[in-house]
Amino acid sequence: MVLLTLFLPLISFALSIIISYRYAWIVSISAPLFLLASAVCATIALFSQWNAPDVLMKFNWFTLGKDVFSADLLISNLVLLMLFVVALISFLVHLYSVGYMAGDKNIKRYFAMLGFFTFSMQGIVLSDSLLVLFVFWELVGFSSYLLIGHYSESINAGRASKKAFILNRIGDIGFLVCLMLVWSNQHSFNIIEIVGGEPSEWKTYASLCLFFGVVGKSAQFPLFTWLPDAMEGPTPVSALMHAATMVAAGVYLVIKVFPFFTPVTLEVITIIGLVTALIGGFSALAQFDIKKILAYSTISQLGLMLIGAGASMPEAALLHLLTHAFFKACLFLGAGAVIHSLHQAQRQAHAHFDAQDIRCMGGLSKKLRWTFATFVVSGASLAGIPFFSGFLSKEALLTSVWMQQGYFSAIVFLGFAIVSVLTVLYTYRLVYFVFLGESRMVKELPVTEIPLIMRIPLTILAVGSFWFVVSWSPFDFSGWLFEYSKTRAPIELTIGSSVIILVTLFFSTKIYRSGVAHTSDVLRNGFYVDSFYNKVSLYALTPIYRATLFLDRKVIDGGIHFSVYAQVTFAHVVAWVDRQIVDGLVHLVAGVASGIGSLIRSFQGGKIQHYVYWAVFAIIIFLICVLK
């Protein structure tokens, strides 16, 4: 079942490539079916092997000298849970895409890369070798590059895909250095062997390098700027990327190899997570693009997950990763439903406005009732409102910080509380200006609800946003899923966080009912981190550019000019040799031959007396030579 879960998306990819463009419509049927089969296999594996002893499957990969490199696959509770989440979310995204991407001219390539994207993420989940995991890690990056740039006719999509690819490769430098350090010290890439042992200096360096790779993949500070731009890709791709694949890969890796991280690295992880969560939360509060709000929200939530891991409670990070997969996928697909419906209405009414700008929306709850209901449920989970799964997972994260001691933990706790307040604010702002309030440019448009095939995934994900996917009790995160965990949230912490969230929600209604609040340019531009990169790149590359320009003008162009002059001079020399020597020699030979011919012709004048004369002359010469 596990191997089928892994390879069925790959078969979907291959079939989507093989099918002719003439029958491209088949891909819209075959791809969701293959992913449904993968999700069923993952579900069977989850329920049949849950809490069973871990299983390690070893496959010899290649031999280099005396070293044998294996492609090991590990089956554990963590792996089974993530396989299930990835397969289920991917199937729902495939199903949703049938309606959302209908009529797309590159539908074959879209479903092919969506299947390959899923296969690559499942490879990360299953791998028990850092080397094999790195291979799948890069395949995820490659897949995301193609999917973000799916709309090849869009210049912005092309730029966004290149930006995502480059920033992820910068982070992957750290992953590569980690592999070198691990091999030189452990002479093994097997995760089971690597995570053991006491903390050491080389482990600190190696784990810091590994975390730098996580920073790139999971869009953490300072390499987070690619993720908001990646919203240029199709919305279902954004849902899969944010919920269960690319950005989740980094946090999952931290959880998977958690014992490998030393105390120093865990402090760095906590700091980076807190900074990222605050930047993402404040930036989401100032965006107008519906997808960019959710993108900055993802950045912020990933930061909270890393805070939980840095606080030595990876179970809490995993719990929030699980709940986040459901409610964030639902939010993105809900945003896609809004965009899809508005595009359809625009075409019918011949209207022109930005279908992703929340300032153009409003009052859509009356026209998109199903989408509104699912969006509110998943938004409530994101905001951490009681009785939703996000509340429980955030309680687990908050408890992990609460249990730490010292000023540093107090600062982290305060930062966590600020992020929680920001999450409520930007979530309500999004819901209000899209679905509630006064209807603006969409007022007269014939907006209709999305097709049933798109509503089914939204409904399933909305149901997954309630508390019972985590625990039987809506106020106890240590439920059936994490029953082995003895951690409990203090009652005063649960009450306090609930009160703060509900009070913030109340004031949110007062703030935003008055209209679109003023937003800061600093927040809207992500604290100008991108601008800083551009300036640094400009100042760093300008001397190189000028040196290259000098080299081009003085050396390369000079060499070209010298080469031209040399060629002209050489051509004149060759022409003189050709005219004076070659042609002269030819003329000389021709003249000699002509002279000899003229001489010989003179012997045959047709007069008999000349013949007698030359015969007598020849005989005399002959006699002189003989008698001498």
Side-chain angles (χ1 to χ4, degrees):
M1 292 295 102
V2 167
L3 292 178
L4 282 173
T5 303
L6 173 64
F7 287 111
L8 281 171
L10 184 62
I11 297 173
S12 173
F13 158 76
L15 186 62
S16 300
I17 293 293
I18 294 171
I19 291 177
S20 170
Y21 274 99
R22 184 178 179 183
Y23 302 102
W25 58 270
I26 297 177
V27 177
S28 298
I29 300 174
S30 63
L33 288 178
F34 274 107
L35 269 295
L36 173 60
S38 178
V40 170
C41 291
T43 305
I44 295 172
L46 175 67
F47 284 99
S48 62
Q49 289 295 117
W50 185 254
N51 285 334
D54 294 352
V55 178
L56 180 64
M57 296 185 288
K58 298 184 71 69
F59 303 95
N60 289 339
W61 188 11
F62 64 93
T63 302
L64 191 63
K66 295 181 180 179
D67 297 315
V68 178
F69 294 86
S70 59
D72 299 343
L73 303 180
L74 178 67
I75 302 176
S76 63
N77 277 359
L78 172 63
V79 170
L80 291 169
L81 185 61
M82 279 302 298
L83 273 182
F84 169 75
V85 172
V86 173
L88 179 60
I89 300 295
S90 184
F91 161 64
L92 295 176
V93 168
H94 274 73
L95 186 63
Y96 181 93
S97 298
V98 174
Y100 190 88
M101 300 298 292
D104 188 274
K105 62 181 180 180
N106 293 316
I107 193 72
K108 244 169 52 74
R109 186 182 68 189
Y110 172 81
F111 276 111
M113 293 316 304
L114 210 59
F116 193 77
F117 197 26
T118 305
F119 162 74
S120 302
M121 182 61 195
Q122 289 175 339
I124 291 178
V125 172
L126 276 168
S127 296
D128 192 59
S129 166
L130 269 186
L131 184 60
V132 177
L133 193 149
F134 180 73
V135 172
F136 284 109
W137 185 272
E138 293 302 303
L139 290 178
V140 165
F142 169 72
S143 307
S144 66
Y145 166 76
L146 293 179
L147 287 170
I148 293 170
H150 175 76
Y151 297 125
S152 55
E153 67 280 0
S154 169
I155 296 176
N156 290 335
R159 289 174 178 171
S161 63
K162 287 186 288 186
K163 184 176 181 180
F165 190 82
I166 291 171
L167 288 181
N168 271 270
R169 298 296 74 72
I170 292 173
D172 291 347
I173 294 173
F175 203 139
L176 277 172
V177 175
C178 171
L179 291 176
M180 298 174 189
L181 290 171
V182 167
W183 180 258
S184 61
N185 286 277
Q186 295 283 96
H187 209 70
S188 173
F189 288 121
N190 294 333
I191 294 177
I192 293 179
E193 299 176 12
I194 294 170
V195 297
E198 296 296 324
S200 59
E201 187 177 8
W202 78 266
K203 278 192 173 183
T204 298
Y205 294 138
S207 57
L208 283 172
C209 289
L210 183 62
F211 178 64
F212 189 63
V214 171
V215 166
K217 190 69 73 181
S218 288
Q220 297 295 287
F221 178 83
L223 300 179
F224 67 90
T225 58
W226 66 268
L227 191 56
D229 289 356
M231 298 303 98
E232 294 293 336
T235 305
V237 171
S238 302
L240 185 59
M241 186 185 300
H242 287 246
T245 51
M246 188 168 180
V247 296
V251 176
Y252 172 76
L253 179 59
V254 171
I255 298 169
K256 188 180 183 74
V257 300
F258 178 77
F260 181 66
F261 294 102
T262 62
V264 173
T265 307
L266 291 178
E267 287 187 5
V268 173
I269 290 174
T270 303
I271 294 171
I272 294 296
L274 179 60
V275 172
T276 306
L278 288 169
I279 290 177
F282 278 111
S283 298
L285 200 59
Q287 304 302 312
F288 295 117
D289 187 300
I290 186 173
K291 291 175 66 177
K292 283 194 174 182
I293 295 172
L294 296 176
Y296 277 110
S297 168
T298 298
I299 293 172
S300 181
Q301 298 304 305
L302 292 170
L304 295 182
M305 297 176 205
L306 290 178
I307 289 176
S312 299
M313 195 169 172
E315 298 92 345
L318 176 62
L319 181 59
H320 197 53
L321 182 63
L322 169 66
T323 60
H324 181 267
F326 284 93
F327 64 69
K328 187 53 65 71
C330 188
L331 285 169
F332 264 108
L333 295 185
V338 172
I339 296 169
H340 181 271
S341 296
L342 291 183
H343 278 313
Q344 296 283 352
Q346 280 180 319
R347 282 193 287 268
Q348 294 180 26
H350 303 288
H352 300 282
F353 62 86
D354 188 353
Q356 295 183 201
D357 194 329
I358 62 173
R359 292 172 293 185
C360 301
M361 303 177 192
L364 288 176
S365 62
K366 300 175 182 178
K367 299 181 178 181
L368 303 175
R369 297 182 184 277
W370 198 279
T371 302
F372 169 65
T374 56
F375 202 92
V376 167
V377 168
S378 52
S381 187
L382 169 62
I385 295 176
F387 297 100
F388 294 93
S389 61
F391 171 79
L392 292 177
S393 57
K394 285 187 178 181
E395 282 297 291
L397 292 172
L398 199 59
T399 301
S400 66
V401 179
W402 178 271
M403 294 171 61
Q404 305 300 311
Q405 303 294 326
Y407 292 107
F408 177 71
S409 298
I411 294 174
V412 174
F413 186 86
L414 177 61
F416 196 111
I418 293 173
V419 173
S420 298
V421 171
L422 291 173
T423 305
V424 177
L425 288 173
Y426 67 67
T427 302
Y428 182 81
R429 173 177 180 263
L430 177 60
V431 172
Y432 181 78
F433 287 108
V434 173
F435 295 100
L436 306 176
E438 182 183 354
S439 181
R440 289 171 283 279
M441 292 186 181
V442 301
K443 185 176 183 179
E444 304 299 330
L445 291 182
V447 181
T448 57
E449 187 60 87
I450 54 176
L452 178 62
I453 199 168
M454 296 172 66
R455 293 202 297 268
I456 292 173
L458 282 176
T459 305
I460 295 174
L461 292 169
V463 171
S465 300
F466 285 97
W467 81 90
F468 46 73
V469 299
V470 176
S471 172
W472 296 122
S473 170
F475 296 100
D476 182 9
F477 59 80
S478 298
W480 63 269
L481 183 59
F482 291 99
E483 58 187 357
Y484 55 86
S485 174
K486 303 302 181 183
T487 306
R488 295 289 188 277
I491 185 65
E492 62 271 19
L493 186 63
T494 301
I495 295 175
S497 60
S498 302
V499 170
I500 291 175
I501 289 170
L502 294 176
V503 169
T504 305
L505 181 62
F506 172 77
F507 281 105
S508 298
T509 61
K510 301 296 183 182
I511 294 172
Y512 292 115
R513 285 183 183 276
S514 60
V516 179
H518 173 72
T519 59
S520 166
D521 290 338
V522 176
L523 302 184
R524 191 162 57 252
N525 290 283
F527 290 83
Y528 291 113
V529 175
D530 247 348
S531 300
F532 172 76
Y533 288 158
N534 292 335
K535 294 290 184 182
V536 170
S537 300
L538 180 63
Y539 290 129
L541 295 179
T542 295
I544 299 175
Y545 170 72
R546 289 178 177 174
T548 304
L549 194 61
F550 174 81
L551 181 67
D552 179 57
R553 290 175 177 174
K554 301 299 183 182
V555 179
I556 298 178
D557 287 353
I560 292 174
H561 294 154
F562 174 77
S563 174
V564 171
Y565 293 142
Q567 290 176 34
V568 172
T569 304
F570 182 70
H572 284 296
V573 172
V574 171
W576 182 86
V577 171
D578 181 59
R579 289 193 300 267
Q580 303 299 324
I581 299 178
V582 178
D583 288 352
L585 181 61
V586 170
H587 294 323
L588 176 63
V589 173
V592 170
S594 178
I596 296 173
S598 298
L599 178 63
I600 295 174
R601 284 198 305 272
S602 68
F603 295 157
Q604 300 178 1
K607 297 180 179 181
I608 190 63
Q609 61 269 29
H610 287 173
Y611 296 156
V612 172
Y613 170 76
W614 287 113
V616 172
F617 180 77
I619 291 172
I620 293 171
I621 296 297
F622 176 74
L623 290 175
I624 290 173
C625 292
V626 172
L627 293 177
K628 186 180 178 181

